[in-house]
């Protein structure tokens, strides 16, 4: 549909130019100038209208690119935070397991690991205060490394 409109406008410019030419040949300069000005205005308007979709497309491309970059930045920031949190949890878990193993070796007793063994579901092992202090100290040293 836009091509038909452009074609029609070009025909209008062409007819205005032909009218201007005929008026200048007939020594009707004022009318010829008016037709010539009408043709010029229509040409300028035709050029200006054809530039609008290109400008709109460029602006939309720029906006979409900016949105994509912002989303990529937030995605990277979120992924980095999640992976760092998982790594920190893994380090803490490993440190606690090592500390429990050291406390078990030092005391010769079983250390409560948070899980209840199947054969002793009622009685839980009790950690003495001295063993608990050793466990906390060893966990601190492991975490500080």
């Amino acid at each position: 549909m836009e091509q038909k409109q452009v074609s029609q406008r070009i025909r209008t410019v062409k007819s205005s130019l032909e009218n201007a030419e005929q008026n200048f040949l007939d020594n009707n300069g004022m009318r010829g100038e008016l037709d010539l000005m009408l043709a010029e205005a229509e040409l300028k308007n035709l050029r200006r209208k054809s530039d609008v979709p290109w400008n709109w497309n460029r602006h939309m491309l720029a906006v979409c690119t900016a949105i994509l970059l912002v989303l990529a930045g937030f995605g990277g920031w979120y992924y980095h935070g999640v992976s760092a949190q998982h790594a920190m949890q893994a380090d803490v878990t490993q440190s606690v397991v090592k500390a429990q193993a050291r406390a078990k070796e030092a005391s010769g007793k079983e250390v409560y690991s948070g899980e209840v063994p199947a054969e002793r579901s009622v009685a839980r092992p009790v950690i003495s205060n001295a063993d608990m202090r050793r466990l906390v100290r060893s966990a601190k040293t492991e975490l500080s490394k």
Side-chain angles (χ1 to χ4, degrees), residues 21-63:
E21 180 184 15
Q22 188 61 41
N23 286 326
F24 281 123
L25 289 175
D26 293 341
N27 288 329
N28 193 356
M30 184 60 77
R31 181 72 184 158
E33 283 291 327
L34 288 174
D35 284 334
L36 188 59
M37 286 171 44
L38 180 65
E40 284 177 323
E42 188 65 30
L43 275 175
K44 285 181 183 178
N45 192 22
L46 184 63
R47 284 189 188 124
R48 187 175 66 227
K49 292 291 182 186
S50 66
D51 287 345
V52 170
W54 171 244
N55 287 336
W56 185 81
N57 286 338
R58 279 192 313 200
H59 292 301
M60 284 305 293
L61 179 64
V63 167

Side-chain angles (χ1 to χ4, degrees), residues 76-93:
W77 174 72
Y78 177 75
Y79 178 75
H80 174 70
V82 168
S83 63
Q85 185 179 15
H86 286 301
M88 189 168 53
Q89 286 175 350
D91 288 343
V92 168
T93 303

Side-chain angles (χ1 to χ4, degrees), residues 116-124:
V116 178
E119 65 268 2
R120 290 192 293 154
S121 61
V122 176
R124 295 183 183 175

Side-chain angles (χ1 to χ4, degrees), residues 83-123:
S83 63
Q85 185 179 15
H86 286 301
M88 189 168 53
Q89 286 175 350
D91 288 343
V92 168
T93 303
Q94 186 179 15
S95 298
V96 169
V97 168
K98 285 181 182 179
Q100 285 177 347
R102 286 185 185 158
K104 184 178 178 182
E105 288 174 6
S107 68
K109 297 179 182 177
E110 187 175 325
V111 178
Y112 178 63
S113 64
E115 297 178 8
V116 178
E119 65 268 2
R120 290 192 293 154
S121 61
V122 176

